């Protein structure tokens, strides 16, 4: 989704190059156009924007040559209005005195726009955002300060926003506000930064203020002024030192973030297990006291949650995984104060997930959040938060956070099961050292994945089949293939494939099978045989000693023995991630920046 990067120099340096760097650092969020506005040395707003990638725009529009000590920048992911230069942010008022960059959606923009048009305001774009500078321009006519005018505007706006604003009226400040959409402040001796996400400024500071819903205010050379629309007692916000390092948010010699993050999984799983073990207090009690338990998430996090449902079921714990955007319609009317919702979100900022959790909270349900980002919105809704140790994930396609989510959910259920007398020591001990085998899976399968990409890159369709614990793995594998290689990949419960999907299978149709040596093994084989006898090109991920599956397959990827249990996704998903990655590369696509996708989806 849109990215905001703003900078105020405390030592009189031009900020445009840093803003451009921040926007580059936020490219993973997804965007189609970008722009920068600075207050120039004549105290005028200088604005440059256009359609396309930052590098291209920086060259064409010469962002770096813009002079000014205060500025704002934006990468736009279109929601209202086509992808055009005019619709790109920042947006200005009629007098060109106020520039605003915004992430989110202003739901009541049409009525505000119509009222302002009747008052004589001229609008140049089709965006919802453009009402903000005009509304503030209008409010300023009553001789109020910029801060008061901003506050008055915020009270009128409905929807979600993170916004930054500069104005000739008070040229020493960057104003800001946040409601639902994320906004953080970074501080060091030279600058103050405002951004949608911490990696934007991680190379300059780890000292961060995480703004909360309703916060608004301004930053100036010596002041960070924060107030809250709903809580008059807020007079400031404390800063925290984030543990993420600059290196963690860089490519570290890999061609893409995605490949780096796939390779980071041994470490991210190891760290997550340690971190989760220190945050488990109170969680089992919540599980214990719940009437119904729902796992709520979107995209990859949903597949991790579905794994949670299967893993919980193995130990006799009933739960249900639900896609966030369907939650209200599917189970909304059943939720009450005795229920427990486990919200799973890498970013902690996914609008669909937050909306469903807020609803559940209003109904009195208890909430556990599993997220990768300290201080994210989900942690403020939850009764109890568990922060994973995956580190920053920049690639749009989730990889290491999927395995961290699985590791977290496994840790929860094994702890619960142990307290109920189940013999889980073997699996718990294996979870503590599984990272070593993930390393082996990477080593054994990477070259093979590359080889298979030579075949896959010419294909337009694929099936991914799994059963039981294998199903969410198949689903996640198919999502990766769709997202970054743009191959139509559909995942099915293997047994369901004969009820329709098999009609498409003819000579050389790729069918991926996640084959576990558990109670699903024989039924999984039956499904793959059915596909093979119709000409399917069978690619299996199976245990290293599984001769029968390898005989049946045209291509196979091997996993060490004894992982046909709830630890399976931590290993079986890895070859599928690599296959998607190398197929995207072979298709000359950029896996870090898939079209139409955004890293955190902060609109509904
Ligand atoms: O930040 P979240 O985990 O809440 O994000 C949920 C989905 O938007 C996300 O997993 C998305 O599906 C990714 N592109 C998957 O690779």
């Amino acid at each position: 989704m849109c990215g905001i990067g703003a900078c105020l120099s405390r030592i009189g340096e031009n900020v445009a190059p840093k803003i451009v760097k921040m926007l580059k650092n936020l490219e993973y969020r997804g965007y189609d156009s970008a722009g920068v506005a600075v207050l120039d040395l004549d105290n005028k707003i200088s604005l440059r924007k256009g359609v396309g990638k930052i590098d291209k725009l920086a060259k064409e529009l010469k962002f770096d040559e813009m002079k000014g000590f205060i500025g704002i920048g934006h990468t736009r992911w279109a929601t209202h209005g086509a992808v055009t230069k005019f619709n790109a942010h920042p947006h200005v008022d009629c007098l060109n005195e106020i520039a605003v960059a915004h992430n989110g959606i202003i739901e009541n923009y049409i009525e505000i726009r119509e009222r302002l048009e009747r008052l004589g305001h001229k609008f140049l774009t089709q965006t919802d955002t453009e009402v903000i500078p005009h509304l503030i321009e209008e409010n300023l006519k009553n001789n109020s300060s910029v801060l008061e005018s901003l506050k008055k505007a915020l009270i009128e706006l409905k929807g979600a926003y993170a916004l930054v604003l500069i104005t000739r009226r008070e040229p020493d400040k960057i104003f800001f506000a946040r409601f639902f959409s994320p906004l953080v402040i970074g501080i060091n001796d030279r600058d103050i930064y405002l951004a949608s996400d911490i990696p934007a400024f991680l190379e300059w500071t780890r000292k961060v203020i995480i703004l909360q819903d309703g916060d608004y205010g301004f930053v100036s050379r010596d002041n960070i002024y924060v107030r809250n629309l709903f809580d008059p007692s807020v007079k400031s916000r404390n800063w925290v030192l984030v543990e993420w390092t600059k290196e963690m948010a860089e490519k570290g010699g890999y061609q893409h973030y995605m490949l780096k993050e796939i390779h980071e999984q041994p470490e991210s799983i190891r760290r997550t297990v340690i971190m989760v073990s220190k945050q488990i207090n109170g969680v089992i009690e919540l599980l214990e006291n719940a009437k119904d338990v729902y796992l709520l998430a979107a995209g990859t996090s949903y597949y991790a949650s579905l794994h949670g449902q299967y893993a919980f079921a193995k130990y006799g714990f009933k739960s249900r995984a639900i896609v966030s955007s369907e939650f209200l319609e599917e189970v909304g009317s059943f939720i009450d104060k005795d229920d427990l919702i486990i919200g799973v979100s890498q970013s902690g900022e996914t609008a669909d997930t937050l909306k469903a959790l807020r609803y559940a909270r209003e109904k009195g349900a208890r909430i556990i959040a599993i997220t990768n980002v300290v201080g994210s919105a989900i942690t403020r809704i939850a009764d109890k938060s568990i922060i994973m140790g995956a580190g920053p994930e920049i690639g749009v396609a989730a990889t290491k956070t999927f395995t961290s989510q699985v590791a977290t959910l496994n840790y929860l259920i094994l702890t619960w099961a142990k307290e109920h007398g189940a013999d889980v020591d073997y699996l718990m001990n294996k979870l503590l050292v599984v990272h070593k085998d993930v390393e082996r899976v990477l080593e054994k399968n990477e070259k093979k994945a590359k080889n298979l990409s030579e075949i896959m890159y010419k294909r337009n369709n694929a099936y991914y089949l799994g059963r039981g614990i294998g199903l969410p793995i198949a689903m996640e594998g198919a999502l990766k293939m769709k997202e970054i290689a743009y191959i139509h990949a559909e995942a099915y419960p293997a047994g369901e494939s004969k009820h329709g999907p098999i009609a498409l299978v003819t000579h050389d149709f790729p069918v991926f099978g996640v084959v576990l040596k558990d109670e699903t093994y024989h039924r999984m084989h039956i499904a793959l045989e059915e596909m093979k006898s119709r000409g399917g090109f069978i690619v299996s991920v199976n245990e290293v000693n599984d001769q029968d599956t390898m005989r049946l397959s045209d291509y196979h990827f091997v996993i060490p023995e004894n992982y046909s249990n709830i630890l399976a996704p931590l290993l079986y998903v890895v070859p599928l991630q690599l296959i998607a990655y190398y197929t995207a590369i072979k298709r000359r696509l950029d896996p870090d920046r898939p079209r139409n996708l955004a890293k955190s989806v902060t609109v509904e």
Side-chain angles (χ1 to χ4, degrees):
M1 298 277 115
C2 304
I4 289 174
C7 181
L8 177 147
S9 169
R10 300 171 120 169
I11 54 165
E13 266 180 5
N14 283 332
V15 290
K18 277 193 176 144
I19 292 173
V20 172
K21 189 70 207 323
M22 289 167 84
L23 296 183
K24 281 275 313 161
N25 293 343
L26 291 175
E27 276 191 310
Y28 65 89
R29 291 174 66 86
Y31 70 106
D32 41 57
S33 50
V36 174
V38 298
L39 268 175
D40 70 16
L41 305 181
D42 301 324
N43 193 27
K44 290 207 184 91
I45 286 184
S46 158
L47 170 64
R48 300 182 191 182
K49 55 188 189 175
V51 173
K53 296 290 171 207
I54 306 285
D55 284 339
K56 170 189 100 93
L57 292 173
K59 244 190 233 157
E60 283 170 14
L61 304 176
K62 303 195 177 13
F63 286 144
D64 279 5
E65 292 176 13
M66 296 169 85
K67 301 272 181 275
F69 310 144
I70 266 187
I72 61 178
H74 188 265
T75 47
R76 174 174 188 247
W77 190 83
T79 55
H80 292 66
V83 179
T84 65
K85 173 183 166 178
F86 284 112
N87 288 336
H89 298 216
H91 294 291
V92 291
D93 63 325
C94 298
L95 304 172
N96 215 21
E97 290 199 331
I98 301 165
V100 172
H102 160 230
N103 169 22
I105 291 179
I106 306 301
E107 287 162 7
N108 57 340
Y109 80 101
I110 294 180
E111 60 187 77
I112 299 176
R113 182 174 168 142
E114 285 172 357
R115 177 166 63 81
L116 291 171
E117 276 174 337
R118 285 196 294 277
L119 291 169
H121 288 260
K122 294 270 174 291
F123 284 81
L124 304 174
T125 80
Q126 295 134 10
T127 65
D128 52 335
T129 302
E130 200 186 1
V131 298
I132 303 172
H134 287 275
L135 196 52
I136 293 167
E137 177 191 6
E138 192 57 34
N139 294 345
L140 280 167
K141 288 181 184 161
N142 301 327
N143 283 331
S144 52
S145 68
V146 176
L147 193 71
E148 285 160 6
S149 303
L150 171 66
K151 184 179 176 191
K152 196 168 166 211
L154 297 175
I155 290 168
E156 194 172 343
L157 298 179
K158 292 204 178 91
Y161 50 78
L163 64 89
V164 288
L165 175 156
I166 50 172
T167 171
R168 305 180 56 181
R169 302 278 192 118
E170 295 185 37
D172 57 338
K173 300 183 178 95
I174 301 178
F175 294 87
F176 62 80
R178 164 192 181 154
F179 187 60
F180 283 3
S181 305
L183 192 64
V184 289
I185 301 177
I187 315 156
N188 64 20
D189 292 342
R190 303 172 75 86
D191 304 303
I192 301 178
Y193 314 96
L194 289 122
S196 301
D197 211 350
I198 297 166
F201 49 68
L202 212 42
E203 58 200 276
W204 303 304
T205 187
R206 295 197 292 127
K207 195 171 164 183
V208 178
I209 293 175
I210 296 160
L211 292 169
Q212 304 197 6
D213 282 346
D215 281 357
Y216 71 99
F218 63 81
V219 300
S220 65
R221 236 171 146 138
D222 325 297
N223 197 2
I224 296 176
Y225 179 97
V226 187
R227 294 292 182 269
N228 188 278
L229 286 177
F230 317 112
D231 181 357
S233 70
V234 172
K235 301 286 182 239
S236 64
R237 291 274 177 219
N238 293 336
W239 55 265
V240 290
L241 212 53
V242 292
E243 285 182 18
W244 295 356
T245 62
K246 167 178 170 271
E247 290 69 32
M248 279 170 134
E250 286 174 343
K251 283 190 203 155
Y254 287 92
Q255 202 190 343
H256 294 101
Y257 285 112
M258 183 179 174
L259 189 59
K260 175 182 173 239
E261 288 158 5
I262 290 173
H263 278 270
E264 279 174 348
Q265 290 180 108
E267 178 55 16
S268 56
I269 293 170
R270 190 192 67 80
R271 230 182 10 236
T272 293
V273 175
I274 293 171
M275 280 181 64
V276 172
S277 69
K278 293 181 184 155
Q279 301 172 77
I280 200 82
N281 260 350
V283 173
I284 301 306
E285 206 182 318
L286 284 168
L287 289 175
E288 215 62 84
N289 296 331
K291 174 171 61 82
D292 290 322
V293 176
Y294 297 94
L295 293 139
L296 183 79
T300 288
S301 301
Y302 169 70
Y303 298 137
S305 300
L306 190 60
H307 166 76
Q309 178 189 310
Y310 278 92
F312 285 21
K314 287 245 174 221
Y315 292 95
F317 189 97
K318 192 170 148 219
S319 67
R320 183 163 162 201
I322 297 199
V323 167
S324 304
S325 56
E326 288 297 315
F327 182 77
L328 293 190
E329 288 72 21
E330 221 174 317
V331 295
S333 55
F334 307 125
I335 301 299
D336 65 32
K337 63 174 183 32
D338 298 324
D339 294 332
L340 173 69
I341 321 289
I342 305 179
V344 183
S345 172
Q346 182 285 127
S347 62
E349 301 286 351
T350 296
D352 290 330
T353 304
L354 297 180
K355 184 177 176 184
L357 288 176
R358 285 189 179 109
Y359 171 87
R361 197 187 154 123
E362 268 167 32
K363 293 269 178 172
R366 311 302 300 273
I367 291 166
I368 297 176
I370 297 178
T371 183
N372 198 31
V373 183
V374 184
S376 55
I378 200 171
T379 62
R380 292 194 293 278
I381 300 175
D383 297 286
K384 165 84 192 167
S385 296
I386 300 175
I387 309 296
M388 310 187 302
E393 187 175 70
I394 309 288
V396 167
T399 51
K400 63 174 176 171
T401 54
F402 172 75
T403 43
S404 281
Q405 289 164 341
V406 167
T408 303
L409 289 162
N410 281 349
Y411 195 93
L412 297 196
I413 194 57
L414 290 175
T415 309
W416 180 88
K418 191 175 170 68
E419 291 203 3
H420 283 78
D423 180 9
V424 295
D425 288 351
Y426 171 75
L427 279 185
M428 197 52 130
N429 290 335
K430 230 169 151 56
L431 183 58
L432 297 175
V433 294
V434 64
H435 55 275
K436 294 183 188 155
D437 279 329
V438 177
E439 192 79 64
R440 283 179 201 117
V441 170
L442 279 160
E443 272 163 28
K444 278 231 167 302
N445 292 298
E446 184 151 13
K447 192 154 185 299
K448 272 186 163 179
K450 216 169 173 172
N451 291 344
L452 180 61
S453 72
E454 301 282 339
I455 299 171
M456 279 309 294
Y457 89 105
K458 296 186 206 139
R459 305 301 160 89
N460 294 317
N461 297 287
Y463 282 145
Y464 283 67
L465 305 183
R467 277 192 117 117
I469 291 285
L471 178 60
I473 305 171
M475 290 172 142
E476 175 58 9
L479 181 65
K480 291 300 87 121
M481 192 59 115
K482 266 188 280 227
E483 279 187 302
I484 59 164
Y486 309 156
I487 290 175
H488 172 229
E490 264 189 280
Y492 272 97
E496 184 69 6
S497 58
K498 59 186 176 292
H499 295 284
I502 199 165
L504 291 188
V505 178
T506 56
H507 179 63
D508 264 0
F509 188 103
V511 180
F512 289 79
V514 177
V515 186
L516 303 185
K517 273 209 150 172
D518 60 5
E519 65 283 359
T520 66
Y521 182 74
H522 292 293
R523 286 175 294 149
M524 187 68 202
H525 261 227
I526 293 171
L528 290 179
E529 291 281 10
E530 286 164 358
M531 295 286 170
K532 193 174 172 69
S533 54
R534 275 137 190 107
F537 175 78
I538 310 295
V539 181
S540 58
V541 187
N542 52 265
E543 280 196 11
V544 65
N545 58 353
D546 183 358
Q547 299 299 335
D548 286 348
T549 301
M550 291 190 280
R551 250 193 308 276
L552 163 70
S553 309
D554 297 282
Y555 227 93
H556 62 262
F557 292 84
V558 291
I559 304 298
E561 284 179 84
N562 299 326
Y563 282 107
S564 291
N565 49 46
I566 64 168
L567 304 189
L570 304 174
L571 303 105
Y572 280 71
V573 81
V574 174
L576 301 179
Q577 295 168 339
L578 288 167
I579 295 163
Y581 172 80
Y582 282 109
T583 305
I585 298 298
K586 189 71 196 157
R587 289 187 144 209
R588 297 182 182 281
L589 299 168
D590 179 350
D592 284 343
R593 281 177 251 159
R595 70 181 174 219
N596 305 338
L597 297 183
K599 182 68 183 162
S600 12
V601 183
T602 52
V603 294
E604 281 173 45

